[in-house]
Amino acid sequence: MTITESTATDVASRDQLRLVIAGSVDDGKSTLVGRLLHDTKSILADQFEATLHASQGRGATEIDLALLTDGLRAEREQGITIDVAYRYFATPRRSFVLADTPGHVQYTRNTVTGASTADAAVVLVDVRGGVSAQTRRHAAVLSLLRVPHVVFAINKMDAVDWSEERFAQVADDVRDVAARVGLSTPEILPISALTGENVAAPGPDWYAGLSLLSVLEELPTRIADVDEPFRLPVQLVIRPRTTEHPDYRGLAGRVASGSLNVGDTVTAYPSGSSSVVVGIDGATGEQSRATVGDSVTVRLADELDVARGEVLATTVPIRTTQQLDAVLTWLDERPPTPRQRVLVKAGTKTTRAMLGVTQGVWNVDELCWQDSSAPLQLNDIGRVSVQLAEPVAVDDYADHRATGAFVVIDPDTGATLAAGLTGADLGALTTP
């Protein structure tokens, strides 16, 4: 049975991996995305025919898989959209949600968006040019966002006749970059997105490792989230007050990490009030246990004064604070002004806040923190202290991705100004 013949139930039951592909605009990202869709039979026949026809119209003798993503590229160039495009493909072993992000440096913010929820990332490097500034920037962003698995794919190997010596040179440079931003033992492999060698098909004789698709199939998913301390940001307090449910009161939200059982004692933060779980209601009815990813309503033995924005935790408490010492990736074309008033959204809580001065900027070229109090510019990564009007419950991002991140919002326009990570850092190096 081919992928296209599989039933929706088959695909839905497969293990899922959220994937982001990063790389400079000339490193072959569009071709790799098209190659993955093509080789896993995840494109429709009419899409294939249209792409083949367009390729032939440009004088090509074979299909140009990069054209599969040209519609989105045209939209970006016209300013219609600069958002992340999500694409879906599957193999008999796993389904994938692929975040297709632009390669231009001005769209680094889109890479941040795509990587923030990714289980794994593929960073493309053109073997002819080797490591570029954009490679270093993407490696830094992926390290900052604690993406669990990062694979560096050295692309366009066919253009250097699959030179093992050239691959080894670029791989050494990649390892140096990875070490300096704190990415431990990343997978590095040679590919040709153009010909498909070592993407789904076998690689050269001198390469003993797995193909890119096989590597992606074997990466572990985020099972560890189940073993992390329980966190549930409260989205809604449900009190129907109907004849059928006159006394019903539940705290609804999505489990961000860990698990919860009926009988557990939970504490709501920042308020600090505690009670015992007497019931958990899910989409199909009452259940005895909830784990990461479940959207549930938790019923407690006591009527705690808990509202949207609080976070339920069990044995390991979550930190409450009115000051976030954070790393910001600045996403707005206008730099921040001194003591700029903003909104901060952490989990399900939104509060007024004021930005502090910049306390350092990550130098992408030197791969180190540098002292600087200058306002952050678009795509800059810097350390900034944020003063909040109300306390929020947060973890260090290194410990919990879901409860350690926040966004900075313009209160007048609603635009996202920055992505913030609490207590985050890049690698161990702080000096050039």
Side-chain angles (χ1 to χ4, degrees):
M1 177 181 290
T2 66
I3 298 300
T4 50
E5 292 170 335
S6 300
T7 66
T9 302
D10 290 339
V11 175
S13 63
R14 292 172 192 154
D15 182 27
Q16 186 181 83
L17 189 82
R18 297 184 68 89
L19 175 70
V20 61
I21 294 185
S24 184
V25 67
D26 294 322
D27 289 345
K29 186 178 64 60
S30 295
T31 303
L32 178 61
V33 172
R35 172 61 62 186
L36 288 170
L37 297 176
H38 175 268
D39 288 4
T40 56
K41 298 180 174 60
S42 301
I43 56 175
L44 301 175
D46 60 339
Q47 289 178 303
F48 180 85
E49 292 298 331
T51 305
L52 178 61
H53 181 72
S55 303
Q56 293 171 339
R58 297 187 179 193
T61 56
E62 297 182 357
I63 186 170
D64 182 355
L65 295 174
L67 298 182
L68 283 169
T69 60
D70 263 11
L72 180 61
R73 185 185 306 129
E75 288 182 342
R76 289 177 188 136
E77 291 171 350
Q78 296 172 44
I80 298 173
T81 178
I82 56 171
D83 289 335
V84 177
Y86 289 94
R87 303 176 186 281
Y88 305 88
F89 65 96
T91 69
R93 297 178 56 185
R94 168 171 279 177
S95 64
F96 296 86
V97 179
L98 189 156
D100 183 7
T101 64
H104 298 77
V105 65
Q106 63 266 38
Y107 294 143
T108 299
R109 50 189 161 181
N110 302 74
T111 302
V112 173
T113 302
S116 63
T117 58
D119 301 313
V122 175
V123 181
L124 279 173
V125 181
D126 187 334
V127 68
R128 299 170 301 178
V131 170
S132 65
Q134 194 69 330
T135 306
R136 292 190 288 270
R137 185 184 300 275
H138 286 155
V141 167
L142 297 173
S143 175
L144 186 66
L145 293 172
R146 300 292 194 266
V147 177
H149 309 287
V150 179
V151 178
F152 288 88
I154 313 301
N155 192 25
K156 303 187 181 181
M157 288 296 300
D158 57 296
V160 294
D161 295 327
W162 286 90
S163 168
E164 184 178 3
E165 180 182 6
R166 179 56 186 162
F167 170 74
Q169 292 170 346
V170 177
D172 285 344
D173 293 340
V174 167
R175 289 190 190 92
D176 179 62
V177 169
R180 297 183 67 179
V181 301
L183 292 173
S184 60
T185 61
E187 190 89 30
I188 305 172
L189 48 82
I191 68 166
S192 171
L194 180 65
T195 66
E197 291 169 276
N198 212 36
V199 177
D205 294 338
W206 53 261
Y207 178 70
L210 298 173
S211 68
L212 175 61
L213 195 57
S214 296
V215 169
L216 297 178
E217 286 182 321
E218 295 199 354
L219 288 177
T221 53
R222 300 172 63 185
I223 297 174
D225 284 359
V226 179
D227 300 324
E228 292 181 350
F230 174 74
R231 300 286 188 260
L232 186 147
V234 176
Q235 295 178 342
L236 182 67
V237 179
I238 298 178
R239 303 182 68 180
R241 296 183 182 277
T242 61
T243 303
E244 186 179 358
H245 302 287
D247 300 319
Y248 188 96
R249 188 174 190 274
L251 307 177
R254 185 173 183 270
V255 180
S257 63
S259 60
L260 181 72
N261 297 293
V262 173
D264 287 348
T265 297
V266 296
T267 301
Y269 295 91
S271 66
S273 51
S274 300
S275 185
V276 175
V277 177
V278 297
I280 301 174
D281 298 321
T284 58
E286 194 167 353
Q287 57 194 66
S288 61
R289 176 182 171 86
T291 62
V292 58
D294 290 347
S295 293
V296 295
T297 300
V298 179
R299 288 180 280 119
L300 303 177
D302 306 285
E303 288 197 5
L304 304 184
D305 184 17
V306 174
R308 173 183 170 87
E310 299 222 15
V311 179
L312 300 183
T314 51
T315 55
V316 180
I318 187 170
R319 180 165 55 95
T320 62
T321 181
Q322 279 191 248
Q323 178 172 312
L324 300 176
D325 295 317
V327 172
L328 296 185
T329 300
W330 194 253
L331 306 176
D332 194 72
E333 295 181 353
R334 300 165 299 171
T337 58
R339 302 173 65 83
Q340 181 173 347
R341 296 186 182 279
V342 296
L343 295 177
V344 164
K345 186 175 187 300
T348 57
K349 186 177 183 66
T350 302
T351 182
R352 292 178 290 107
M354 183 171 63
L355 299 180
V357 298
T358 305
Q359 300 167 345
V361 174
W362 180 255
N363 185 310
V364 173
D365 294 320
E366 300 294 334
L367 294 177
C368 65
W369 286 104
Q370 289 187 334
D371 292 336
S372 174
S373 59
L376 297 177
Q377 304 296 317
L378 177 64
N379 294 320
D380 274 355
I381 300 171
R383 290 182 171 129
V384 178
S385 178
V386 183
Q387 188 66 39
L388 307 175
E390 304 173 80
V392 297
V394 293
D395 287 297
D396 280 353
Y397 187 81
D399 299 326
H400 298 282
R401 293 177 79 193
T403 49
F406 62 94
V407 293
V408 179
I409 302 169
D410 186 325
D412 296 325
T413 67
T416 300
L417 300 175
L421 310 174
T422 57
D425 208 339
L426 286 169
L429 300 181
T430 57
T431 57

